Amino acid sequence: MGCYLRYGRHGVNQVLRFRDASYDSTAVNPIWYASQGLRYMRKLQVILTSDVDKLGKAGDTVKVAPGYFRNHLMPKLLAVPNIDKFAHLISEQRKICQPIEGEEEQKDVTVIKESKKDMMKEYERAALRLDKAKLVLRRLIDVQKAKVRASKDDPLELRSPMTKDALVAEVARQLCVNIAPENLHLPVPLATLGEYEVPLRLPRSIPLPEGKLNWTLKVKIRSK
């Protein structure tokens, strides 16, 4: 039995001695290692998807123990098996993410200033949007004053009147146009439900539409 064991050990030594480089990727029967008193530790080839300390950088192909890949690299998506589909995917992603050789990472950004003509066109579009739109607001009424009205035809008063600042905020929220309180001609706040046309104070350089004498903002206040 001892002669067979010695012959077996000699055979394993011969196999390990004359293995070529391509033999690393082939499966080796663990019993060969067991006859030598060795632990069978076939390593896996994996492709790193991120930089791993003391192992390699993203895109590198490295060999690791199966348990290390299964318990550490794979759950954290730090590496994938070195097979054709993953190798092609990693290669394509690197082409997309990495800058082309010789190309600057950051290019100078040229800031183009708007001309006065372009700014006037923007103002005109904003003015037309304000003039054609209708601002619809829902507000609470003053219940106590509503009960003591002299007639049901009398308008219902609001609990909180609509001021210039409140209208400016609603214009920005509903119409996406920024105006200043000075652009609204509103001597007193809007205090009752109903429909209003609030005059707009816009620059005279903005041409009025044909048939209009001034810019206005239509406002409708409904009970909440």
Side-chain angles (χ1 to χ4, degrees), residues 134-138 170 173-174 218-220 222:
K134 177 182 286 188
L135 203 64
V136 179
L137 311 173
R138 289 184 176 273
E170 287 295 330
R173 187 179 69 85
Q174 294 188 29
K218 300 178 185 67
V219 180
K220 183 176 182 178
R222 303 174 62 181

Side-chain angles (χ1 to χ4, degrees), residues 60-72:
D60 292 348
T61 301
V62 296
K63 290 184 179 182
V64 297
Y68 182 67
F69 172 70
R70 182 176 61 252
N71 300 324
H72 178 69

